Amino acid sequence: DDNGLDVDEGANMTPAEITDLISQLTLEEKASLCSGGDSWHLQTVERLGIPGPMVTDGPHGLRKVADGSMAGIYDSVPATCFPTAAGLASTWDPELVHDIGVALGEETRAESVSVLLGPGINMKRSPLCGRNFEYFSEDPVLAGTLATELVRGIQSQGVGTSLKHFAANNQETDRLRVNAEIDERTLREIYLPAFEMVVKQADPWTVMCSYNAINGVYSSQNRWLLTELLHEEWGYKGLVISDWGAVVNRVEGLRAGLDLEMPGDAPRNDARIVEAVRSGDLDEEILDTAVARILSLIARASAAMADPGSYDIEAHHQLARRAAAASVVLLKNDGDVLPLIDPDDVVVIGEFARTPRYQGAGSSKVNPTRVDTALDSLRQTWDDVPFAPGFTLTDHPDPQLADEAVSLSRGKTAVLFLGLPAVAESEGYDRTNTDLPTDQIDLLARVRKVASHTIVVLSNGSSVGTAEWDDQADAIVECWLGGQASGSGVIDVLTGKVNPSGHLAETITRKLSDIPAQLNFPGEFQHVTYGEGRYIGYRGLDATEREVAYPFGHGLSYTTFAYCDLDLLVRPVSDETAQDETVLTVSFTVSNTGDRAGATVPQVYLGFPDATVDRCVRELKAFLRVELDPGESRSITIDLTRRDLSYWDILLHSWTVEPGTLRVEVGISSRDLPLTGEVILDAPTVRHPLRRDSTVAEWMDADEEFAAKVRRATEQTGIDLDSDPTTAAFILAMPAYKMLQMAPIMTPEELDKMLGD
Ligand code: BGC
């Protein structure tokens, strides 16, 4: 049968071939293609040889369930478990993330899976979100840049991705039905840019819509989100897939731009689609568009399906180890207690050293090809390092285990592997606090009293508060949920084989209540208001001038770096300047001033002190990772575009720049910015279209005739706008049409005429 998609091995189908194939499908067959064949496959049409490729979770490893059902979610084929997104984000290393993408793509392909369901790039609005381990950052530039590389890497192997969860799925509480109330500017500047970046730069084969509603409309049937924004504005050509069970009204969803419902099989919804077309309620062209996108996906997948290939399990494990080490963030290293040098001085404490926690619970849980423990890894070099578990991973404190750990630590450098037990965080629910379990904090305090030094090594997916016990630790090492090689990866860092270069992708606050979003998290009565607006993460903490435990971007190294010679070059912006044109060039020099090779991550933040609109104190605009030998210097040049300088103007509905001062800060965290400079940006003054309710001041500014009339009328009543500031303020702030009620300088109709209505 030469109509089937699988005959033309590898080649994508041309639009003409797709149109031709659609014309051969019955209405029922077209509707059936719009839901899966089962939980993890697309629907087939055997008559025409249309195959049903497989899609599986995702995102930091493949979770291909053995029997193809929804049941047995942890019964999947072995696959390499790479660090979760929380770890990957801490690498600030797009190249490494790309390499991991390639490996994930190879595994996906080798298992004959066509789409890996990830990455998840929702913003970390609150550290309490149970799924933060699966998300990258509180900052959209960092999340978007890294996710772009992950998608490019995966898709370089002829398989697809599913960028999720589009959009505003920033909590687990009530995730299936919560309505997130978010203002336009906040959506545009915080919750959408990472999606926009990945869509425009990496063309993910699919985008997965979220469960929740945004401003009253479920994502699965939000036409603005799925069609106007995604396809029309961002130019997306791929396919929108529902999160598993996100469909509420299937026909409404199709009309809004939701192409594929998952999981299948959904015969009742397929029948509804047929019926809506027959009754004239649904334009058949809309159905054809969805089918065309689904067939294009199948065509895109055909080459890999025909030739799955294989992958090197050992090489991928080594990559996972490199990634785990790169994910480690050295938060604190007082007195340079790290790296460890004397095997006879070290004792290992904590159950996590033997039973690592390296990934989170829920749909992303991978069945690893193997698991390295920190204890085994350390004993490979230092074979009789003593160990005591100190606590159990249940809720029950065990005094005897604690006693043993304390006596073992006496006079030694105690390396304590602490962290969150699995039940503390998961897909499906949020946390209620950011605390480490009390028995672990108590153990640390006791060990501290007898040990010569204490080093805390943390495993957790969402951030944990450190302020309560920070003074009990000489060093703190954050590993996140670092994947199957997290044990060996962290030992590489602790022993100095790898010089740490991870940086925080999220702020660690002193108190949970320091975070503005907590006032509105997770909401109630199925409703959450994003009342803090753009002020999540460091944006909020900088605005409220809160002390933090460890700032966004922070991460220590075993060597030292110096930053100098900031140089700024700004070009004028005109109405013709394109969004992606370079407007500001930031140059500076970084040097390795220590005695070890290492990597630093310069971060470029912008502030807008003259802005007439509300602006955050600083926002990350660019970063890069620079590897330097001891004594080596490198000059760095970073170009920022018009878009990088813009805010989203809710009256113009566009990215807008204002003239005035640009404050540029370069440094190694949002709170450690050794280089600061200012330049004046020359740009046209922002003009908003006049409305009836524009203020008198705005009208006078924009319209000479109107201004003259106001001046005449005020003079006649004895008011001098120039010498009477109080009265002037009162009048100038009034909406124009309201002023007309008091000073009839023209009729409302004449005002409307001036608007050109
Ligand atoms: C999750 C998605 C996942 C899907 C399939 C949903 O519950 O939100 O992230 O891809 O299940 O397992």
Side-chain angles (χ1 to χ4, degrees):
D1 184 341
D2 55 13
N3 294 316
L5 288 171
D6 45 359
V7 286
D8 181 21
E9 261 173 42
N12 284 349
M13 293 186 85
T14 64
E17 287 167 326
I18 288 181
T19 311
D20 179 53
L21 189 57
I22 292 174
S23 71
Q24 298 176 52
L25 290 163
T26 66
L27 176 59
E28 284 76 8
E29 284 167 341
K30 288 195 283 190
S32 78
L33 281 168
C34 293
S35 68
D38 64 25
S39 300
W40 307 110
H41 290 86
L42 272 65
Q43 185 61 267
T44 58
V45 180
E46 273 169 31
R47 183 176 73 83
L48 296 172
I50 299 175
M54 186 175 203
V55 302
T56 79
D57 288 304
H60 55 269
L62 195 69
R63 184 176 65 88
K64 180 186 175 188
V65 289
D67 68 357
S69 76
M70 280 292 270
I73 88 163
Y74 298 145
D75 178 23
S76 54
V77 300
T80 310
C81 179
F82 289 98
T84 59
L88 289 184
S90 304
T91 68
W92 294 60
D93 187 347
E95 271 174 51
L96 174 61
V97 171
H98 187 276
D99 290 348
I100 292 165
V102 170
L104 285 167
E106 282 177 3
E107 296 196 18
T108 304
R109 181 171 182 151
E111 288 293 347
S112 298
V113 171
S114 297
V115 175
L116 187 65
L117 299 173
I121 58 168
N122 297 99
M123 288 294 104
K124 300 192 191 197
R125 177 174 175 244
S126 162
L128 297 184
C129 174
R131 223 173 166 179
N132 272 357
F133 70 90
E134 265 190 83
Y135 299 146
F136 285 79
S137 179
E138 65 191 26
D139 183 89
V141 169
L142 180 58
T145 307
L146 296 177
T148 294
E149 288 310 320
L150 194 64
V151 168
R152 283 182 176 152
I154 295 171
Q155 295 192 165
S156 71
Q157 301 307 302
V159 295
T161 54
S162 198
L163 192 65
K164 66 190 188 183
H165 307 89
F166 190 55
N169 183 175
N170 307 102
Q171 64 186 61
E172 291 300 282
T173 305
D174 241 343
R175 68 168 167 157
L176 297 180
R177 54 175 200 175
V178 73
N179 175 33
E181 198 73 53
I182 315 173
D183 69 88
E184 182 182 333
R185 194 169 162 204
T186 300
L187 265 175
R188 289 288 188 160
E189 293 188 27
I190 302 293
Y191 295 100
L192 294 173
F195 285 99
E196 182 182 359
M197 199 189 286
V198 182
V199 162
K200 287 182 173 170
Q201 296 185 7
D203 183 26
W205 289 14
T206 78
V207 166
M208 187 190 290
C209 77
S210 62
Y211 289 121
N212 53 279
I214 303 174
N215 297 330
V217 187
Y218 280 110
S219 298
S220 65
Q221 51 200 56
N222 194 322
R223 204 189 121 78
W224 170 75
L225 186 72
L226 303 184
T227 295
E228 289 168 32
L229 182 74
L230 182 61
H231 287 291
E232 293 170 10
E233 200 182 310
W234 294 350
Y236 182 58
K237 297 269 183 288
L239 159 83
V240 177
I241 185 169
S242 75
D243 197 347
W244 268 231
V247 167
V248 180
N249 179 319
R250 184 61 186 104
V251 174
E252 198 65 39
L254 203 58
R255 223 182 262 126
L258 172 62
D259 304 301
L260 175 64
E261 171 174 6
M262 287 304 281
D265 169 24
R268 291 184 57 191
N269 276 344
D270 297 350
R272 285 189 177 107
I273 293 173
V274 170
E275 187 166 322
V277 171
R278 290 239 161 87
S279 69
D281 185 30
L282 180 73
D283 188 345
E284 192 161 356
E285 262 180 40
I286 292 177
L287 174 61
D288 288 353
T289 302
V291 172
R293 290 183 187 140
I294 291 164
L295 294 177
S296 305
L297 176 93
I298 297 172
R300 261 177 145 177
S302 59
M305 283 204 289
D307 175 19
S310 60
Y311 70 96
D312 182 340
I313 297 180
E314 177 58 28
H316 285 196
H317 183 76
Q318 292 313 324
L319 177 61
R321 178 170 179 165
R322 187 154 73 82
S327 301
V328 167
V329 183
L330 181 59
L331 294 176
K332 173 180 182 179
N333 191 17
D334 284 359
D336 291 339
V337 282
L338 286 173
L340 302 171
I341 38 173
D342 179 4
D344 297 330
D345 176 48
V346 173
V347 297
V348 174
I349 307 293
E351 185 58 50
F352 289 116
R354 179 170 69 177
T355 313
R357 188 154 172 264
Y358 58 93
Q359 63 174 329
S363 60
S364 69
K365 194 158 178 177
V366 174
N367 178 13
T369 58
R370 62 188 240 212
V371 176
D372 293 347
T373 75
L375 186 59
D376 285 348
S377 304
L378 187 59
R379 282 179 171 169
Q380 270 161 26
T381 6
W382 297 347
D383 46 12
D384 20 76
V385 167
F387 166 73
F391 54 88
T392 68
L393 299 183
T394 66
D395 278 342
H396 308 296
D398 187 326
Q400 200 190 324
L401 286 184
D403 290 348
E404 283 164 17
V406 173
S407 59
L408 197 67
S409 305
R410 198 168 300 277
K412 302 274 188 179
T413 294
V415 185
L416 295 104
F417 286 79
L418 309 182
L420 292 179
V423 62
E425 52 181 344
S426 168
E427 177 180 341
Y429 55 88
D430 293 319
R431 296 188 295 170
T432 53
N433 61 63
T434 59
D435 303 336
L436 278 182
T438 329
D439 58 339
Q440 295 183 32
I441 299 177
D442 292 347
L443 176 65
L444 171 63
R446 289 183 60 198
V447 168
R448 172 68 170 187
K449 290 212 174 79
V450 299
S452 59
H453 297 101
T454 48
I455 294 164
V456 170
V457 180
L458 292 170
S459 299
N460 46 281
S462 326
S463 63
V464 294
T466 53
E468 196 190 332
W469 48 265
D470 194 295
D471 57 350
Q472 308 287 314
D474 296 296
I476 307 177
V477 181
E478 174 60 85
C479 301
W480 305 107
L481 300 179
Q484 67 183 45
S486 69
S488 47
V490 71
I491 293 303
D492 290 344
V493 171
L494 296 178
T495 55
K497 198 171 142 199
V498 169
N499 190 352
S501 64
H503 290 258
L504 287 179
E506 57 196 282
T507 311
I508 301 178
T509 57
R510 294 184 67 83
K511 295 200 302 287
L512 186 57
S513 59
D514 288 339
I515 299 168
Q518 290 313 125
L519 288 171
N520 287 296
F521 185 92
E524 58 184 1
F525 304 120
Q526 297 172 227
H527 196 89
V528 54
T529 305
Y530 286 33
E532 73 288 353
R534 292 167 293 120
Y535 291 97
I536 64 166
Y538 65 91
R539 288 172 170 80
L541 297 153
D542 284 353
T544 54
E545 301 181 330
R546 287 287 190 279
E547 291 281 313
V548 300
Y550 294 102
F552 175 78
H554 169 77
L556 302 175
S557 165
Y558 296 151
T559 186
T560 49
F561 300 99
Y563 285 41
C564 63
D565 297 339
L566 179 66
D567 190 36
L568 305 173
L569 176 70
V570 68
R571 296 170 192 74
V573 168
S574 74
D575 292 336
E576 276 71 52
T577 311
Q579 293 292 356
D580 60 359
E581 236 173 89
T582 297
V583 172
L584 178 66
T585 301
V586 181
S587 321
F588 52 93
T589 303
V590 292
S591 321
N592 181 343
T593 50
D595 54 10
R596 262 174 200 266
T600 183
V601 179
Q603 302 155 35
V604 178
Y605 296 85
L606 281 191
F608 304 84
D610 298 341
T612 69
V613 294
D614 183 54
R615 284 286 195 141
C616 297
V617 180
R618 63 181 58 82
E619 296 190 285
L620 180 73
K621 294 297 172 185
F623 64 90
L624 85 171
R625 187 172 176 281
V626 190
E627 286 181 29
L628 295 168
D629 284 329
E632 189 184 351
S633 291
R634 188 151 337 141
S635 44
I636 306 292
T637 300
I638 290 177
D639 287 331
L640 297 180
T641 63
R642 173 183 179 143
R643 166 68 189 266
D644 292 327
L645 273 51
S646 301
Y647 71 94
W648 179 261
D649 190 295
I650 63 163
L651 296 176
L652 299 172
H653 298 290
S654 68
W655 294 104
T656 306
V657 280
E658 287 190 299
T661 308
L662 300 176
R663 179 180 299 140
V664 181
E665 297 170 305
V666 181
I668 50 170
S669 84
S670 62
R671 295 277 170 106
D672 187 351
L673 299 157
L675 303 180
T676 305
E678 290 188 348
V679 283
I680 309 285
L681 176 69
D682 178 3
T685 311
V686 178
R687 297 230 169 259
H688 292 115
L690 284 179
R691 293 161 294 132
R692 307 182 83 206
D693 61 359
S694 296
T695 62
V696 173
E698 286 162 347
W699 269 92
M700 289 178 73
D701 205 27
D703 191 300
E704 274 173 31
E705 188 191 335
F706 185 92
K709 285 191 174 178
V710 172
R711 291 204 174 275
R712 222 172 300 132
T714 45
E715 273 160 29
Q716 275 164 16
T717 44
I719 301 166
D720 179 359
L721 288 177
D722 297 323
S723 69
D724 181 356
T726 322
T727 314
F730 182 77
I731 294 172
L732 294 176
M734 278 184 144
Y737 79 98
K738 290 257 172 187
M739 188 207 63
L740 296 188
Q741 293 166 9
M742 283 171 238
I745 56 169
M746 61 178 72
T747 64
E749 289 72 26
E750 283 166 339
L751 186 75
D752 285 346
K753 213 182 246 154
M754 293 178 78
L755 287 172
D757 292 2

